[in-house]
Amino acid sequence: GDANYDPAPEVNATVVVHTAELEVIAHDASKEYLAPIPELSFHYEGFVYDENATNIDPIEFAEPQVFTTATSQSQAGSYDLNATDGFAANYHFVYHNAHLVVGATAQHIAEFDVMPEATYGDGPLPLFSATSSNLPVEYHSSNPSVLEVNGTELLIRGAGQATIFAHQAGDANYDPAPEVNATVVVHTAELEVI
Protein backbone atom coordinates (compact mmCIF):
# COMPACT_ATOMS: atom_id res chain seq x y z
CA GLY A 1 0.00 0.00 0.00
CA ASP A 2 0.80 3.65 0.29
CA ALA A 3 -0.71 6.77 1.96
CA ASN A 4 -4.01 6.21 0.16
CA TYR A 5 -4.22 2.39 0.16
CA ASP A 6 -3.96 -0.25 2.80
CA PRO A 7 -1.75 -3.29 1.91
CA ALA A 8 -3.56 -5.71 -0.41
CA PRO A 9 -4.12 -9.27 0.80
CA GLU A 10 -1.34 -11.46 -0.57
CA VAL A 11 -2.16 -13.98 -3.30
CA ASN A 12 0.10 -16.67 -4.81
CA ALA A 13 0.43 -19.14 -7.67
CA THR A 14 2.53 -22.26 -8.04
CA VAL A 15 4.73 -22.76 -11.10
CA VAL A 16 6.12 -26.20 -11.94
CA VAL A 17 9.39 -26.32 -13.90
CA HIS A 18 9.65 -29.68 -15.56
CA THR A 19 12.93 -31.36 -16.40
CA ALA A 20 14.14 -30.91 -19.97
CA GLU A 21 14.40 -33.85 -22.33
CA LEU A 22 17.98 -34.97 -22.93
CA GLU A 23 18.55 -37.53 -25.66
CA VAL A 24 21.23 -40.15 -25.12
CA ILE A 25 22.15 -41.61 -28.52
CA ALA A 26 24.24 -44.78 -28.48
CA HIS A 27 26.66 -45.30 -31.36
CA ASP A 28 26.69 -48.41 -33.54
CA ALA A 29 29.83 -50.53 -33.18
CA SER A 30 31.40 -53.57 -34.79
CA LYS A 31 34.01 -56.21 -34.11
CA GLU A 32 35.28 -59.51 -35.45
CA TYR A 33 34.38 -62.85 -33.90
CA LEU A 34 36.61 -63.55 -30.85
CA ALA A 35 37.89 -59.96 -30.72
CA PRO A 36 37.31 -58.02 -27.48
CA ILE A 37 34.22 -55.85 -27.14
CA PRO A 38 35.19 -52.37 -28.42
CA GLU A 39 34.76 -49.26 -26.33
CA LEU A 40 31.07 -48.37 -26.46
CA SER A 41 30.09 -44.72 -26.81
CA PHE A 42 27.17 -42.29 -27.09
CA HIS A 43 26.47 -38.59 -27.39
CA TYR A 44 23.89 -36.17 -25.98
CA GLU A 45 21.41 -33.95 -27.75
CA GLY A 46 19.21 -31.46 -25.90
CA PHE A 47 21.28 -29.60 -23.30
CA VAL A 48 19.92 -26.10 -22.57
CA TYR A 49 21.55 -22.85 -21.43
CA ASP A 50 24.83 -23.85 -23.09
CA GLU A 51 25.25 -26.64 -20.57
CA ASN A 52 27.11 -29.84 -21.32
CA ALA A 53 28.10 -32.94 -19.42
CA THR A 54 31.32 -31.37 -18.17
CA ASN A 55 29.94 -28.21 -16.59
CA ILE A 56 27.05 -29.64 -14.55
CA ASP A 57 27.56 -30.20 -10.84
CA PRO A 58 28.57 -33.90 -10.59
CA ILE A 59 26.29 -34.29 -7.57
CA GLU A 60 23.35 -33.49 -9.85
CA PHE A 61 24.55 -35.51 -12.85
CA ALA A 62 25.62 -39.10 -13.56
CA GLU A 63 26.50 -40.23 -17.05
CA PRO A 64 24.55 -43.12 -18.56
CA GLN A 65 26.24 -46.43 -19.28
CA VAL A 66 26.17 -48.29 -22.60
CA PHE A 67 26.17 -52.08 -22.44
CA THR A 68 25.57 -55.17 -24.57
CA THR A 69 24.89 -58.81 -23.83
CA ALA A 70 27.48 -59.81 -26.44
CA THR A 71 30.91 -61.08 -25.38
CA SER A 72 34.13 -61.75 -27.26
CA GLN A 73 32.85 -65.33 -27.75
CA SER A 74 29.48 -64.31 -29.21
CA GLN A 75 28.63 -65.76 -32.62
CA ALA A 76 28.57 -63.53 -35.68
CA GLY A 77 25.39 -61.46 -35.86
CA SER A 78 23.80 -58.26 -34.56
CA TYR A 79 23.42 -57.50 -30.84
CA ASP A 80 21.59 -54.66 -29.10
CA LEU A 81 23.55 -51.83 -27.51
CA ASN A 82 21.52 -50.27 -24.70
CA ALA A 83 22.11 -47.03 -22.78
CA THR A 84 20.73 -46.71 -19.25
CA ASP A 85 21.28 -45.50 -15.67
CA GLY A 86 21.85 -41.80 -16.31
CA PHE A 87 20.72 -39.18 -13.81
CA ALA A 88 20.40 -35.40 -13.98
CA ALA A 89 18.49 -33.09 -11.64
CA ASN A 90 17.21 -30.87 -14.46
CA TYR A 91 16.89 -33.40 -17.30
CA HIS A 92 15.11 -36.62 -18.03
CA PHE A 93 16.91 -39.01 -20.35
CA VAL A 94 15.46 -40.45 -23.54
CA TYR A 95 17.57 -43.38 -24.68
CA HIS A 96 18.24 -44.31 -28.32
CA ASN A 97 19.79 -47.73 -28.57
CA ALA A 98 22.15 -49.01 -31.26
CA HIS A 99 23.68 -52.28 -32.48
CA LEU A 100 26.95 -54.15 -32.17
CA VAL A 101 27.67 -56.15 -35.32
CA VAL A 102 29.93 -59.17 -34.87
CA GLY A 103 31.48 -60.15 -38.19
CA ALA A 104 33.46 -63.14 -39.38
CA THR A 105 37.17 -63.26 -38.63
CA ALA A 106 40.11 -64.57 -40.63
CA GLN A 107 41.41 -68.10 -40.38
CA HIS A 108 44.28 -70.01 -41.96
CA ILE A 109 45.38 -73.56 -42.54
CA ALA A 110 48.10 -73.93 -39.94
CA GLU A 111 49.46 -77.29 -41.06
CA PHE A 112 49.22 -79.37 -44.21
CA ASP A 113 51.19 -82.61 -44.42
CA VAL A 114 51.22 -85.20 -47.18
CA MET A 115 53.99 -87.53 -48.34
CA PRO A 116 55.73 -85.92 -51.35
CA GLU A 117 56.48 -89.24 -53.07
CA ALA A 118 54.91 -92.66 -53.39
CA THR A 119 55.07 -95.68 -55.66
CA TYR A 120 52.25 -97.12 -57.69
CA GLY A 121 50.85 -100.01 -55.66
CA ASP A 122 51.44 -98.37 -52.26
CA GLY A 123 48.58 -98.12 -49.80
CA PRO A 124 46.59 -94.93 -49.23
CA LEU A 125 48.55 -91.80 -48.30
CA PRO A 126 47.26 -90.02 -45.18
CA LEU A 127 46.39 -86.32 -45.33
CA PHE A 128 46.86 -84.22 -42.24
CA SER A 129 45.95 -80.59 -41.72
CA ALA A 130 44.76 -78.21 -39.03
CA THR A 131 43.13 -74.80 -39.14
CA SER A 132 43.32 -71.91 -36.73
CA SER A 133 39.51 -72.15 -36.46
CA ASN A 134 39.44 -75.93 -35.85
CA LEU A 135 37.03 -76.24 -38.79
CA PRO A 136 37.56 -79.32 -41.00
CA VAL A 137 39.66 -79.06 -44.15
CA GLU A 138 38.53 -80.33 -47.54
CA TYR A 139 40.88 -81.60 -50.25
CA HIS A 140 40.85 -82.05 -53.99
CA SER A 141 43.33 -83.45 -56.49
CA SER A 142 44.43 -81.83 -59.73
CA ASN A 143 44.78 -85.30 -61.27
CA PRO A 144 42.36 -87.91 -59.83
CA SER A 145 43.68 -90.52 -62.29
CA VAL A 146 46.95 -90.40 -60.31
CA LEU A 147 45.74 -89.54 -56.79
CA GLU A 148 42.09 -89.68 -55.79
CA VAL A 149 40.92 -87.92 -52.61
CA ASN A 150 38.98 -90.17 -50.26
CA GLY A 151 38.17 -88.19 -47.10
CA THR A 152 41.50 -87.65 -45.34
CA GLU A 153 43.59 -89.96 -47.49
CA LEU A 154 44.79 -90.29 -51.07
CA LEU A 155 44.17 -93.42 -53.10
CA ILE A 156 46.91 -94.14 -55.63
CA ARG A 157 45.33 -94.72 -59.04
CA GLY A 158 48.34 -94.45 -61.35
CA ALA A 159 51.90 -93.21 -61.81
CA GLY A 160 52.41 -89.52 -62.42
CA GLN A 161 52.11 -86.23 -60.56
CA ALA A 162 49.21 -84.50 -58.85
CA THR A 163 48.80 -81.33 -56.83
CA ILE A 164 46.66 -81.72 -53.73
CA PHE A 165 44.75 -78.61 -52.65
CA ALA A 166 43.57 -78.03 -49.08
CA HIS A 167 40.84 -75.49 -48.45
CA GLN A 168 38.44 -74.44 -45.72
CA ALA A 169 35.31 -72.59 -46.89
CA GLY A 170 34.57 -70.80 -43.60
CA ASP A 171 31.23 -70.36 -41.87
CA ALA A 172 29.24 -67.59 -40.19
CA ASN A 173 32.13 -66.87 -37.80
CA TYR A 174 35.14 -67.42 -40.07
CA ASP A 175 36.12 -66.18 -43.51
CA PRO A 176 37.43 -68.78 -45.98
CA ALA A 177 41.04 -69.79 -45.34
CA PRO A 178 43.60 -69.12 -48.07
CA GLU A 179 44.10 -72.32 -50.06
CA VAL A 180 47.36 -74.27 -49.67
CA ASN A 181 48.70 -77.09 -51.81
CA ALA A 182 51.37 -79.71 -52.14
CA THR A 183 52.62 -81.74 -55.10
CA VAL A 184 52.94 -85.51 -54.87
CA VAL A 185 54.88 -87.65 -57.33
CA VAL A 186 53.80 -91.26 -57.79
CA HIS A 187 56.63 -93.34 -59.24
CA THR A 188 56.10 -96.37 -61.43
CA ALA A 189 56.24 -99.73 -59.72
CA GLU A 190 59.02 -102.19 -60.49
CA LEU A 191 57.81 -105.01 -62.69
CA GLU A 192 60.18 -107.95 -63.20
CA VAL A 193 60.12 -109.67 -66.57
CA ILE A 194 61.72 -113.07 -66.15
Side-chain angles (χ1 to χ4, degrees):
D2 60 9
N4 296 318
Y5 290 97
D6 292 328
E10 187 175 69
V11 296
N12 64 69
T14 300
V15 178
V16 176
V17 178
H18 295 283
T19 54
E21 180 177 287
L22 183 62
E23 295 185 74
V24 178
I25 302 171
H27 300 156
D28 287 333
S30 63
K31 76 174 200 75
E32 289 185 355
Y33 176 62
L34 298 181
I37 299 293
E39 184 175 345
L40 305 177
S41 61
F42 65 90
H43 71 275
Y44 298 106
E45 290 183 10
F47 278 113
V48 298
Y49 302 126
D50 294 325
E51 291 181 332
N52 60 55
T54 62
N55 65 13
I56 297 179
D57 183 343
I59 295 174
E60 297 181 349
F61 187 78
E63 285 213 321
Q65 303 297 314
V66 182
F67 70 93
T68 180
T69 57
T71 68
S72 63
Q73 304 289 320
S74 294
Q75 302 289 306
S78 181
Y79 297 84
D80 287 339
L81 286 180
N82 300 300
T84 188
D85 292 340
F87 167 78
N90 294 319
Y91 296 92
H92 63 273
F93 292 108
V94 176
Y95 297 103
H96 299 272
N97 298 326
H99 294 94
L100 171 68
V101 175
V102 178
T105 191
Q107 64 162 328
H108 63 277
I109 296 175
E111 297 179 61
F112 177 42
D113 291 329
V114 60
M115 292 176 59
E117 295 182 278
T119 300
Y120 181 68
D122 288 350
L125 305 178
L127 291 166
F128 175 78
S129 61
T131 61
S132 58
S133 63
N134 293 321
L135 294 173
V137 174
E138 294 181 0
Y139 308 95
H140 71 272
S141 171
S142 67
N143 192 348
S145 63
V146 173
L147 290 169
E148 178 186 337
V149 174
N150 182 26
T152 58
E153 59 184 19
L154 296 173
L155 304 178
I156 297 173
R157 298 301 189 202
Q161 180 175 299
T163 301
I164 308 304
F165 297 91
H167 58 94
Q168 210 307 308
D171 63 7
N173 295 321
Y174 289 96
D175 293 325
E179 190 172 67
V180 297
N181 64 73
T183 298
V184 179
V185 175
V186 178
H187 300 285
T188 55
E190 179 177 285
L191 181 64
E192 294 187 62
V193 179
I194 302 170

